[in-house]
Amino acid sequence: ENKGFKCIMYNFNHERWSLAASACRLARTCLEDAYKFATVRKTFGKPLINHPVISQKIGEMARQVEASHSWIEKITYNF
């Protein structure tokens, strides 16, 4: 008795983990698509990925995606 709220909150932890894992995978997919587009698209006679600003932005995206993936793995291990 009087443990319903605790059970609901415990279930929310699993839902939050599932949502975070899905978002992490979607971010990785978006990063892969951005990289593919940047290697195919040409501007000013060279691929878009060869422009320093674009390669820096994609590198920063990759860093954030890897950090998120590492965080998800840490949570999964501690779950």
Side-chain angles (χ1 to χ4, degrees):
E1 189 173 310
N2 294 329
K3 294 186 181 184
F5 181 75
K6 190 174 184 179
C7 290
I8 290 171
M9 290 297 115
Y10 182 75
N11 189 36
F12 280 155
N13 287 337
H14 294 288
E15 291 177 10
R16 287 184 189 118
W17 176 86
S18 177
L19 183 63
S22 297
C24 186
R25 181 60 198 150
L26 181 61
R28 186 175 297 276
T29 302
C30 290
L31 172 64
E32 291 170 2
D33 287 346
Y35 180 77
K36 287 176 188 174
F37 178 78
T39 55
V40 172
R41 174 87 165 119
K42 292 190 183 224
T43 57
F44 303 108
K46 62 182 181 177
L48 192 60
I49 193 73
N50 290 344
H51 296 283
V53 173
I54 301 301
S55 61
Q56 190 273 335
K57 285 185 181 232
I58 290 180
E60 179 64 16
M61 286 171 59
R63 184 192 65 79
Q64 290 179 350
V65 167
E66 288 299 320
S68 298
H69 184 73
S70 175
W71 181 70
I72 292 293
E73 284 184 342
K74 181 179 177 185
I75 288 174
T76 302
Y77 180 74
N78 291 331
F79 214 15

